[in-house]
Amino acid sequence: MQLRYAFRLYPDTVQQRALARAFGCARVVFNDAVRAREDARKAGQPFPTAGELSTRLITEARRTAERSWLGEVSAVVLQQSLRDAESAYRNFFASLKGTRKGPRISPPRFKSRKDKRQSIRFTANARWSITDSGRLNLPKIGTLKVKWSRALPATPSSVTVIKDAAGRYFASFVIDTDPATDAARMPDTGQTTGIDLGLTHFAVLSDGTKIDSPRFLWRAEKKLKKAQQELSRKQKGSKNRAKARLKVARAHAKVADARREFHHQLSTRLIFENQGIAVEDLSVAGLARTRLAKSVHDAGWSSFVSMLEYKAARYGRTLVRIGRFTPTSQTCSTCGVKDGPKPLDVREWACSACGAVHDRDTNAAINVKTAAGLAVSACGAPVRPGVIPAQREETGSHGFPTEPCAA
């Protein structure tokens, strides 16, 4: 299983200029590849192959006066930029054919130097290395200082250098993990749980445990409002506006980092304590169109469930998603009678059939666990067999500004 481990970088002024040069060269090659394919499409000609683009846009272009500065950066960075363009077109055509999951995506667009997020990738061919002193040595950039928050479990196969909107630099390493080693880190447990996600309480477990929602965005709104007001008063194109924009980006990054850290700590604890976990497949996109949109986005349910998925796959746990139309809040968890829909302000209710009094969220969590087949009957056997294991997929890592992180 492939994981990403990201660490903060602290390049000096000279290295920042070298990275900016590499970001620009990669962006130019990407735009040239998109332009070449668009010109071929308009002319009714077949798309140029990856080899033709590599020869024309990198090898031959570096010999010309207009593109001679492409030789100032590693050729591997330029080759990986071409691969990114090819991957973007493959995803676009797969989306048109319907073979790609999710909503349809648009064709690749031209990258701009004003884009707030820039990245370059180095593979093993670039001969990058980690020095004995713990620094990251990149070709034609230099030896960068790295803030190591933990040790790498294996030798990385590639590294991606990222500059985010807040002006921070990160090094993201791709690691191939050993399934046997990961499974040994998480001993088997006989516990199973159902999770009901909400807003007042971020998660309510089937055993009655309630985890309050930190509401990171709500707590930082006053500071964000002030920073945004200062940005709106600055003249467009001025250096003061660029400084104000950076303050806004850093404030948002602080909120996102706190939310991501909370998701990781909670998801890791749930994976460690439970052999099987059941969650509800919520329609986040639909809920985001209601008056609760800001609170829904602040909770970050999709990110949390994604972390549960890849961690369950990594450590041999079982994660089950039940249908979003399952009436978990309307069904009595004691007798199984459906008692009908209830307003959101009703937090406790009594079953009209058996008279049992239920906490709305705890009752829903129990029903989620039962619907997933993780509940246990009086004889100790599962109520419903056939638990579906979580799908394995590539993951992110701690400190990564845009993707989830590895446990």
Side-chain angles (χ1 to χ4, degrees):
M1 183 177 185
Q2 284 190 328
L3 300 176
R4 287 188 178 272
Y5 284 73
F7 303 90
R8 184 78 179 270
L9 292 178
Y10 294 92
D12 56 28
T13 304
V14 177
Q15 293 168 349
Q16 288 182 16
R17 287 198 293 264
L19 286 172
R21 189 183 306 114
F23 291 147
C25 292
R27 182 179 63 250
V28 167
V29 171
F30 182 92
N31 291 342
D32 288 346
V34 174
R35 187 178 294 107
R37 298 199 65 161
E38 287 299 310
D39 293 343
R41 182 186 63 83
K42 292 179 181 178
Q45 300 175 354
F47 286 142
T49 63
E52 294 173 352
L53 290 177
S54 177
T55 303
R56 187 199 315 174
L57 303 181
I58 298 178
T59 306
E60 296 178 355
R62 290 195 296 184
R63 300 171 183 170
T64 64
E66 296 178 351
R67 292 285 192 269
S68 59
W69 35 264
L70 291 178
E72 299 177 3
V73 301
S74 173
V76 174
V77 170
L78 307 181
Q79 293 288 349
Q80 294 301 311
S81 185
L82 284 182
R83 290 199 173 194
D84 290 341
E86 291 293 321
S87 177
Y89 273 106
R90 282 197 303 269
N91 292 335
F92 169 63
F93 290 127
S95 178
L96 288 181
K97 297 177 182 177
T99 57
R100 186 179 185 273
K101 294 182 179 180
R104 287 193 175 185
I105 60 176
S106 58
R109 66 169 181 85
F110 292 114
K111 292 185 178 182
S112 171
R113 68 176 63 183
K114 296 182 180 180
D115 290 342
K116 305 308 176 186
R117 185 180 185 276
Q118 306 282 348
S119 65
I120 53 175
R121 186 167 59 254
F122 296 87
T123 59
N125 295 335
R127 296 181 180 180
W128 61 273
S129 62
I130 299 175
T131 64
D132 296 336
S133 59
R135 290 177 175 261
L136 178 62
N137 186 19
L138 299 177
K140 297 189 178 182
I141 293 178
T143 306
L144 286 73
K145 180 181 178 182
V146 185
K147 181 66 175 179
W148 298 102
S149 57
R150 54 186 167 174
L152 293 173
T155 303
S157 59
S158 67
V159 59
T160 302
V161 179
I162 302 167
K163 182 183 178 182
D164 66 359
R168 303 177 300 178
Y169 293 87
F170 293 88
S172 176
F173 299 92
V174 176
I175 303 292
D176 291 320
T177 61
D178 184 11
T181 304
D182 292 337
R185 291 174 56 188
M186 292 286 182
D188 293 341
T189 65
Q191 300 293 328
T192 57
T193 187
I195 304 176
D196 179 64
L197 299 175
L199 297 177
T200 304
H201 296 92
F202 177 78
V204 178
L205 308 184
S206 55
D207 61 0
T209 304
K210 294 186 177 182
I211 301 168
D212 292 333
S213 179
R215 303 178 69 182
F216 295 106
L217 180 61
W218 178 82
R219 285 156 50 184
E221 270 188 327
K222 186 175 181 180
K223 183 177 181 180
L224 287 170
K225 179 181 178 181
K226 183 179 179 181
Q228 192 65 49
Q229 286 176 342
E230 293 177 354
L231 173 63
S232 64
R233 297 189 182 107
K234 299 297 187 292
Q235 183 179 0
K236 291 185 177 180
S238 64
K239 291 185 177 179
N240 286 335
R241 184 178 179 87
K243 295 178 182 178
R245 185 209 64 80
L246 197 59
K247 289 183 179 180
V248 174
R250 287 173 178 170
H252 280 287
K254 187 175 181 180
V255 173
D257 290 345
R259 183 188 299 115
R260 189 180 305 110
E261 183 68 18
F262 168 74
H263 288 168
H264 275 294
Q265 291 182 0
L266 180 58
S267 59
T268 301
R269 179 167 68 89
L270 292 174
I271 290 295
F272 180 80
E273 296 175 351
N274 300 278
Q275 190 69 27
I277 299 176
V279 294
E280 189 175 3
D281 185 18
L282 297 174
S283 177
V284 178
L287 292 172
R289 292 193 293 266
T290 66
R291 60 185 179 88
L292 300 174
K294 183 182 291 187
S295 298
V296 170
H297 287 305
D298 190 15
W301 295 327
S302 296
S303 175
F304 174 71
V305 175
S306 297
M307 292 180 186
L308 286 176
E309 283 183 341
Y310 84 77
K311 290 178 183 180
R314 181 183 183 186
Y315 296 111
R317 302 309 201 206
T318 300
L319 181 71
V320 183
R321 287 197 187 200
I322 68 169
R324 63 187 60 172
F325 298 109
T326 305
T328 56
S329 298
Q330 305 176 21
T331 305
C332 174
S333 59
T334 302
C335 63
V337 173
K338 184 178 178 181
D339 208 12
K342 301 164 186 64
L344 290 177
D345 58 346
V346 177
R347 309 315 302 174
E348 288 188 1
W349 55 280
C351 177
S352 58
C354 65
V357 179
H358 298 291
D359 178 273
R360 182 191 183 106
D361 299 328
T362 304
N363 177 76
I366 296 174
N367 287 330
V368 168
K369 179 179 177 179
T370 303
L374 300 181
V376 177
S377 64
C379 61
V383 173
R384 188 179 303 174
V387 177
I388 303 173
Q391 297 295 320
R392 296 178 180 268
E393 59 184 14
E394 185 178 353
T395 60
S397 82
H398 177 69
F400 196 43
T402 57
E403 300 182 2
C405 70

